[in-house]
Amino acid sequence: MEHTNRKFGIEIEFVGACKYEVAAAINAQGIDCQVEYYNHTTRPHWKIVSDSSLDSIRGYAAELVSPILEGEDGVLQLKTVVDALNSVEGVTVNRSCGLHVHLNCADLNVKEIQKIYERYAQYEEQIDLCMPRSRRGSLHWCKTLKDGGNVASVKRAKKKENIAHMLGRYYKVNLTQIAQRGAIEFRQHSGTTDFAKIYNWLSFLMQFVETSCELADAEVMVRPSNSRAYAQFRNIVENAGGTMEWCKRRKTWEISLGAFDYSVGNRMLNTYYEGNEVNRSKVKEFFENIFGLYGPYNTNRPQMQNIEILNDEGVFHGITLKIKDYLNERKEELA
């Protein structure tokens, strides 16, 4: 079994077939499915709603939305519905269609939610390679997580309500319902009515979430030392919500702050110091010109920070061999 028992929901966008015919095919399998007006209400039954964002074929375009599903029974019901959907003449997908997966994450704490978002952003380019080119990078309906310092903003949040209200819904990972409904929506996958693709993607996301939570729970809180290299300069970056890490390969400090990334070597950093203290006027000029950051510049030691005591081994950390093999095959197919 590749999936976990975490509750889930699925949205399948499709074109080319009448939604009433699709509903009839699903109902014929003994599964309640109703055609409704466009809404975001979670129902106890399957529903089909219109979707004006889709490029219709023969005037037909709709979205098939599941109720809350769980475990083996939920997966079996999903397969029955997908098979019924595919039995309707004309059903297909095009580049305007997407597959959206909702996972119930009401049991997760803020740190675990932050870790899920942070890791998806960290491995976004690798996940992109498992998708058609039309679902890579940043799109209107599923934008990159790296827009405008999103990751740093999420990491600064103290409550789920803060996370839910700081970003819009049209990102590859949508956190807007994490407080109200306790759900995270993953919007990146291309439209498909292929059950194998749906199931493998669902399983990957479930495993990715569990692994991210394990990594988050394995972190300990420490406060950076004032004796570390370029402490005052790094304190300014971190107190402003950024990161500053040494890259051994390039032998530079990699600074990520807001929407900007910048590399700086030791020789250049030395010019911003006078003895053991930073030169305030030079520091002001650097952060204003490079990052658009206008003081105050806090050189004090940052508060407690998370330090990992369990190494993150990459995007496939904690992913079963079957799902890993599937995604690697997708990369080869889509290369």
Side-chain angles (χ1 to χ4, degrees):
M1 184 176 74
E2 307 305 320
H3 58 276
T4 70
N5 286 323
R6 187 170 293 280
K7 294 178 180 178
F8 67 95
I10 300 285
E11 298 173 2
I12 303 172
E13 296 174 342
F14 67 92
V15 294
C18 173
K19 55 190 175 184
Y20 290 98
E21 291 183 13
V22 172
I26 295 171
N27 281 308
Q29 299 302 312
I31 296 174
D32 187 13
C33 181
Q34 301 179 23
V35 176
E36 301 183 358
Y37 60 88
Y38 183 78
N39 67 83
H40 291 287
T41 304
T42 301
R43 305 294 197 194
H45 54 262
W46 288 79
K47 66 181 180 181
I48 303 177
V49 298
S50 299
D51 192 331
S52 60
S53 70
L54 304 178
D55 298 331
S56 65
I57 294 179
R58 296 185 296 277
Y60 296 129
E63 182 177 43
L64 175 61
V65 183
S66 78
I68 296 173
L69 303 172
E70 182 178 9
E72 193 69 22
D73 289 343
V75 170
L76 290 174
Q77 185 178 131
L78 173 62
K79 185 178 187 309
T80 300
V81 168
V82 170
D83 287 345
L85 172 65
N86 286 319
S87 73
V88 178
E89 184 177 357
V91 165
T92 188
V93 297
N94 55 29
R95 290 180 60 172
S96 70
C97 297
L99 173 75
H100 303 159
V101 175
H102 297 254
L103 295 183
N104 182 353
C105 296
D107 59 311
L108 305 188
N109 59 42
V110 169
K111 187 169 73 170
E112 291 167 337
I113 295 165
Q114 290 168 331
K115 179 60 71 173
I116 292 167
Y117 196 88
E118 178 187 3
R119 292 187 73 236
Y120 201 104
Q122 181 180 358
Y123 301 121
E124 187 176 315
E125 287 82 2
Q126 295 180 51
I127 296 172
D128 277 358
L129 297 178
C130 303
M131 303 290 164
R133 296 184 185 277
S134 61
R135 307 296 287 191
R136 300 177 187 177
S138 192
L139 308 168
H140 177 70
W141 302 111
C142 57
K143 293 181 285 189
T144 175
L145 304 191
K146 298 181 179 180
D147 274 0
N150 285 1
V151 176
S153 297
V154 169
K155 289 177 69 173
R156 286 197 300 268
K158 303 299 182 183
K159 298 179 180 179
K160 292 182 182 180
E161 289 78 8
N162 301 141
I163 296 175
H165 291 106
M166 66 176 49
L167 305 172
R169 59 183 288 233
Y170 295 125
Y171 287 91
K172 292 176 181 177
V173 179
N174 169 22
L175 299 176
T176 59
Q177 295 299 317
I178 192 61
Q180 184 177 358
R181 297 185 180 181
I184 297 178
E185 179 188 21
F186 297 86
R187 299 177 54 86
Q188 184 172 5
H189 201 285
S190 55
T192 183
T193 62
D194 183 324
F195 175 74
K197 290 180 180 179
I198 296 171
Y199 177 73
N200 281 294
W201 179 240
L202 170 66
S203 298
F204 166 74
L205 293 175
M206 286 181 166
Q207 294 174 21
F208 185 88
V209 164
E210 301 311 319
T211 298
S212 298
C213 292
E214 291 174 6
L215 290 168
D217 295 340
E219 292 178 346
V220 296
M221 300 291 288
V222 299
R223 197 174 185 188
S225 169
N226 265 337
S227 63
R228 60 181 178 164
Y230 303 106
Q232 289 192 350
F233 204 94
R234 293 164 73 179
N235 291 349
I236 293 172
V237 173
E238 292 167 6
N239 284 321
T243 59
M244 179 171 168
E245 299 178 351
W246 176 251
C247 177
K248 292 182 180 179
R249 182 176 60 84
R250 298 177 60 181
K251 292 183 170 46
T252 57
W253 292 94
E254 304 298 316
I255 302 175
S256 179
L257 184 58
F260 302 97
D261 296 315
Y262 190 77
S263 300
V264 59
N266 289 341
R267 181 175 297 180
M268 185 177 197
L269 277 177
N270 290 336
T271 65
Y272 294 99
Y273 273 80
E274 293 179 353
N276 294 324
E277 301 290 325
V278 292
N279 182 305
R280 293 280 178 170
S281 61
K282 290 183 178 179
V283 162
K284 178 177 182 293
E285 181 180 2
F286 175 84
F287 282 100
E288 286 182 357
N289 291 341
I290 303 299
F291 298 103
L293 179 67
Y294 296 89
Y297 304 108
N298 185 359
T299 59
N300 295 325
R301 196 162 48 138
Q303 297 302 309
M304 304 290 281
Q305 296 180 348
N306 289 327
I307 300 297
E308 293 182 356
I309 58 175
L310 178 63
N311 290 332
D312 185 349
E313 298 174 358
V315 65
F316 289 137
H317 185 166
I319 306 302
T320 61
L321 181 61
K322 181 178 179 181
I323 302 302
K324 180 179 177 181
D325 286 346
Y326 165 79
L327 292 175
N328 280 327
E329 288 174 6
R330 289 291 289 163
K331 285 183 182 179
E332 293 178 4
E333 291 172 7
L334 298 167

PDB file of all heavy atoms in Angstrom, residues 6 34 45 48 55 117 199 213 215 231 236 303 307 311 318 324 333:
ATOM      1  N   ARG A   6      -4.277   9.239   5.630  1.00  0.00           N
ATOM      2  CA  ARG A   6      -4.651  10.648   5.726  1.00  0.00           C
ATOM      3  C   ARG A   6      -5.834  10.931   4.798  1.00  0.00           C
ATOM      4  O   ARG A   6      -5.842  10.520   3.639  1.00  0.00           O
ATOM      5  CB  ARG A   6      -3.457  11.541   5.351  1.00  0.00           C
ATOM      6  CG  ARG A   6      -3.710  13.034   5.595  1.00  0.00           C
ATOM      7  CD  ARG A   6      -2.430  13.829   5.438  1.00  0.00           C
ATOM      8  NE  ARG A   6      -1.463  13.502   6.475  1.00  0.00           N
ATOM      9  CZ  ARG A   6      -1.486  13.988   7.711  1.00  0.00           C
ATOM     10  NH1 ARG A   6      -2.451  14.831   8.072  1.00  0.00           N
ATOM     11  NH2 ARG A   6      -0.560  13.632   8.585  1.00  0.00           N
ATOM     12  N   GLN A  34     -23.738  14.417  -8.214  1.00  0.00           N
ATOM     13  CA  GLN A  34     -24.733  15.421  -8.580  1.00  0.00           C
ATOM     14  C   GLN A  34     -24.089  16.573  -9.329  1.00  0.00           C
ATOM     15  O   GLN A  34     -22.950  16.971  -9.028  1.00  0.00           O
ATOM     16  CB  GLN A  34     -25.436  15.948  -7.318  1.00  0.00           C
ATOM     17  CG  GLN A  34     -26.142  14.861  -6.515  1.00  0.00           C
ATOM     18  CD  GLN A  34     -26.817  15.396  -5.269  1.00  0.00           C
ATOM     19  OE1 GLN A  34     -27.147  16.582  -5.184  1.00  0.00           O
ATOM     20  NE2 GLN A  34     -27.020  14.516  -4.294  1.00  0.00           N
ATOM     21  N   HIS A  45     -21.163  13.883  -1.171  1.00  0.00           N
ATOM     22  CA  HIS A  45     -21.256  13.144  -2.430  1.00  0.00           C
ATOM     23  C   HIS A  45     -20.303  13.759  -3.456  1.00  0.00           C
ATOM     24  O   HIS A  45     -19.777  14.851  -3.260  1.00  0.00           O
ATOM     25  CB  HIS A  45     -22.699  13.211  -2.974  1.00  0.00           C
ATOM     26  CG  HIS A  45     -23.207  14.618  -3.099  1.00  0.00           C
ATOM     27  ND1 HIS A  45     -24.014  15.205  -2.136  1.00  0.00           N
ATOM     28  CD2 HIS A  45     -23.023  15.586  -4.053  1.00  0.00           C
ATOM     29  CE1 HIS A  45     -24.306  16.443  -2.500  1.00  0.00           C
ATOM     30  NE2 HIS A  45     -23.699  16.697  -3.658  1.00  0.00           N
ATOM     31  N   ILE A  48     -20.231  17.621  -9.805  1.00  0.00           N
ATOM     32  CA  ILE A  48     -19.638  18.133 -11.042  1.00  0.00           C
ATOM     33  C   ILE A  48     -20.084  19.574 -11.191  1.00  0.00           C
ATOM     34  O   ILE A  48     -21.288  19.873 -11.160  1.00  0.00           O
ATOM     35  CB  ILE A  48     -20.078  17.311 -12.270  1.00  0.00           C
ATOM     36  CG1 ILE A  48     -19.718  15.840 -12.088  1.00  0.00           C
ATOM     37  CG2 ILE A  48     -19.404  17.856 -13.536  1.00  0.00           C
ATOM     38  CD1 ILE A  48     -20.180  14.957 -13.219  1.00  0.00           C
ATOM     39  N   ASP A  55     -10.496  25.470 -21.265  1.00  0.00           N
ATOM     40  CA  ASP A  55     -10.742  25.612 -22.705  1.00  0.00           C
ATOM     41  C   ASP A  55     -11.632  24.452 -23.143  1.00  0.00           C
ATOM     42  O   ASP A  55     -11.166  23.312 -23.281  1.00  0.00           O
ATOM     43  CB  ASP A  55      -9.426  25.601 -23.477  1.00  0.00           C
ATOM     44  CG  ASP A  55      -8.515  26.766 -23.094  1.00  0.00           C
ATOM     45  OD1 ASP A  55      -9.053  27.817 -22.705  1.00  0.00           O
ATOM     46  OD2 ASP A  55      -7.287  26.602 -23.190  1.00  0.00           O
ATOM     47  N   TYR A 117       5.833  23.241   3.185  1.00  0.00           N
ATOM     48  CA  TYR A 117       5.934  24.323   2.204  1.00  0.00           C
ATOM     49  C   TYR A 117       7.388  24.581   1.829  1.00  0.00           C
ATOM     50  O   TYR A 117       7.729  24.723   0.644  1.00  0.00           O
ATOM     51  CB  TYR A 117       5.302  25.584   2.785  1.00  0.00           C
ATOM     52  CG  TYR A 117       4.998  26.653   1.771  1.00  0.00           C
ATOM     53  CD1 TYR A 117       3.787  26.667   1.093  1.00  0.00           C
ATOM     54  CD2 TYR A 117       5.906  27.671   1.493  1.00  0.00           C
ATOM     55  CE1 TYR A 117       3.488  27.649   0.167  1.00  0.00           C
ATOM     56  CE2 TYR A 117       5.626  28.653   0.564  1.00  0.00           C
ATOM     57  CZ  TYR A 117       4.408  28.636  -0.087  1.00  0.00           C
ATOM     58  OH  TYR A 117       4.128  29.621  -1.007  1.00  0.00           O
ATOM     59  N   TYR A 199      -3.245   8.107  -8.744  1.00  0.00           N
ATOM     60  CA  TYR A 199      -2.903   7.385  -7.515  1.00  0.00           C
ATOM     61  C   TYR A 199      -1.441   7.582  -7.125  1.00  0.00           C
ATOM     62  O   TYR A 199      -1.124   7.787  -5.948  1.00  0.00           O
ATOM     63  CB  TYR A 199      -3.200   5.891  -7.671  1.00  0.00           C
ATOM     64  CG  TYR A 199      -2.802   5.102  -6.451  1.00  0.00           C
ATOM     65  CD1 TYR A 199      -3.545   5.186  -5.271  1.00  0.00           C
ATOM     66  CD2 TYR A 199      -1.671   4.288  -6.463  1.00  0.00           C
ATOM     67  CE1 TYR A 199      -3.168   4.485  -4.139  1.00  0.00           C
ATOM     68  CE2 TYR A 199      -1.288   3.581  -5.329  1.00  0.00           C
ATOM     69  CZ  TYR A 199      -2.051   3.693  -4.171  1.00  0.00           C
ATOM     70  OH  TYR A 199      -1.665   3.002  -3.042  1.00  0.00           O
ATOM     71  N   CYS A 213       6.828  16.141   8.037  1.00  0.00           N
ATOM     72  CA  CYS A 213       6.464  16.249   9.451  1.00  0.00           C
ATOM     73  C   CYS A 213       7.522  15.606  10.336  1.00  0.00           C
ATOM     74  O   CYS A 213       7.880  16.149  11.393  1.00  0.00           O
ATOM     75  CB  CYS A 213       5.104  15.612   9.700  1.00  0.00           C
ATOM     76  SG  CYS A 213       3.728  16.504   8.958  1.00  0.00           S
ATOM     77  N   LEU A 215      10.696  15.289   9.668  1.00  0.00           N
ATOM     78  CA  LEU A 215      11.866  16.173   9.664  1.00  0.00           C
ATOM     79  C   LEU A 215      11.639  17.388  10.561  1.00  0.00           C
ATOM     80  O   LEU A 215      12.544  17.822  11.282  1.00  0.00           O
ATOM     81  CB  LEU A 215      12.177  16.616   8.238  1.00  0.00           C
ATOM     82  CG  LEU A 215      12.727  15.541   7.305  1.00  0.00           C
ATOM     83  CD1 LEU A 215      12.723  16.022   5.858  1.00  0.00           C
ATOM     84  CD2 LEU A 215      14.136  15.127   7.713  1.00  0.00           C
ATOM     85  N   ALA A 231      29.278  37.524  12.162  1.00  0.00           N
ATOM     86  CA  ALA A 231      28.071  37.396  12.982  1.00  0.00           C
ATOM     87  C   ALA A 231      27.124  38.575  12.815  1.00  0.00           C
ATOM     88  O   ALA A 231      25.916  38.389  12.608  1.00  0.00           O
ATOM     89  CB  ALA A 231      28.461  37.230  14.447  1.00  0.00           C
ATOM     90  N   ILE A 236      21.927  40.691  10.774  1.00  0.00           N
ATOM     91  CA  ILE A 236      21.077  41.633  10.039  1.00  0.00           C
ATOM     92  C   ILE A 236      20.184  40.875   9.065  1.00  0.00           C
ATOM     93  O   ILE A 236      18.974  41.104   8.985  1.00  0.00           O
ATOM     94  CB  ILE A 236      21.929  42.675   9.283  1.00  0.00           C
ATOM     95  CG1 ILE A 236      22.662  43.592  10.276  1.00  0.00           C
ATOM     96  CG2 ILE A 236      21.052  43.513   8.345  1.00  0.00           C
ATOM     97  CD1 ILE A 236      23.659  44.524   9.614  1.00  0.00           C
ATOM     98  N   GLN A 303      16.714  35.470  17.600  1.00  0.00           N
ATOM     99  CA  GLN A 303      16.087  34.594  18.574  1.00  0.00           C
ATOM    100  C   GLN A 303      16.307  33.136  18.180  1.00  0.00           C
ATOM    101  O   GLN A 303      16.976  32.828  17.209  1.00  0.00           O
ATOM    102  CB  GLN A 303      14.591  34.917  18.677  1.00  0.00           C
ATOM    103  CG  GLN A 303      14.307  36.331  19.182  1.00  0.00           C
ATOM    104  CD  GLN A 303      14.925  36.601  20.534  1.00  0.00           C
ATOM    105  OE1 GLN A 303      14.739  35.818  21.466  1.00  0.00           O
ATOM    106  NE2 GLN A 303      15.651  37.703  20.654  1.00  0.00           N
ATOM    107  N   ILE A 307      17.164  23.980  14.114  1.00  0.00           N
ATOM    108  CA  ILE A 307      18.328  23.292  13.566  1.00  0.00           C
ATOM    109  C   ILE A 307      17.961  21.824  13.374  1.00  0.00           C
ATOM    110  O   ILE A 307      17.468  21.167  14.296  1.00  0.00           O
ATOM    111  CB  ILE A 307      19.549  23.400  14.509  1.00  0.00           C
ATOM    112  CG1 ILE A 307      19.927  24.873  14.712  1.00  0.00           C
ATOM    113  CG2 ILE A 307      20.728  22.611  13.951  1.00  0.00           C
ATOM    114  CD1 ILE A 307      20.367  25.581  13.444  1.00  0.00           C
ATOM    115  N   ASN A 311      18.894  14.480   8.900  1.00  0.00           N
ATOM    116  CA  ASN A 311      19.242  15.008   7.583  1.00  0.00           C
ATOM    117  C   ASN A 311      18.123  14.769   6.562  1.00  0.00           C
ATOM    118  O   ASN A 311      17.566  13.683   6.482  1.00  0.00           O
ATOM    119  CB  ASN A 311      20.537  14.368   7.072  1.00  0.00           C
ATOM    120  CG  ASN A 311      21.749  14.826   7.849  1.00  0.00           C
ATOM    121  OD1 ASN A 311      21.767  15.927   8.382  1.00  0.00           O
ATOM    122  ND2 ASN A 311      22.758  13.974   7.920  1.00  0.00           N
ATOM    123  N   GLY A 318      12.031   9.347   2.225  1.00  0.00           N
ATOM    124  CA  GLY A 318      10.804   8.789   2.768  1.00  0.00           C
ATOM    125  C   GLY A 318       9.805   8.299   1.742  1.00  0.00           C
ATOM    126  O   GLY A 318       8.715   7.843   2.099  1.00  0.00           O
ATOM    127  N   LYS A 324       8.935   6.216  -6.183  1.00  0.00           N
ATOM    128  CA  LYS A 324      10.166   6.816  -6.697  1.00  0.00           C
ATOM    129  C   LYS A 324      10.422   6.364  -8.130  1.00  0.00           C
ATOM    130  O   LYS A 324      10.757   7.185  -9.001  1.00  0.00           O
ATOM    131  CB  LYS A 324      11.338   6.432  -5.796  1.00  0.00           C
ATOM    132  CG  LYS A 324      12.675   6.999  -6.227  1.00  0.00           C
ATOM    133  CD  LYS A 324      13.776   6.583  -5.255  1.00  0.00           C
ATOM    134  CE  LYS A 324      15.134   7.076  -5.715  1.00  0.00           C
ATOM    135  NZ  LYS A 324      16.215   6.666  -4.784  1.00  0.00           N
ATOM    136  N   GLU A 333      10.149  10.153 -19.484  1.00  0.00           N
ATOM    137  CA  GLU A 333       9.133  10.322 -20.531  1.00  0.00           C
ATOM    138  C   GLU A 333       8.988  11.779 -20.952  1.00  0.00           C
ATOM    139  O   GLU A 333       8.760  12.087 -22.129  1.00  0.00           O
ATOM    140  CB  GLU A 333       7.783   9.829 -20.019  1.00  0.00           C
ATOM    141  CG  GLU A 333       7.678   8.325 -19.820  1.00  0.00           C
ATOM    142  CD  GLU A 333       6.383   7.932 -19.141  1.00  0.00           C
ATOM    143  OE1 GLU A 333       5.516   8.822 -18.954  1.00  0.00           O
ATOM    144  OE2 GLU A 333       6.230   6.755 -18.781  1.00  0.00           O
TER     145      GLU A 333
END
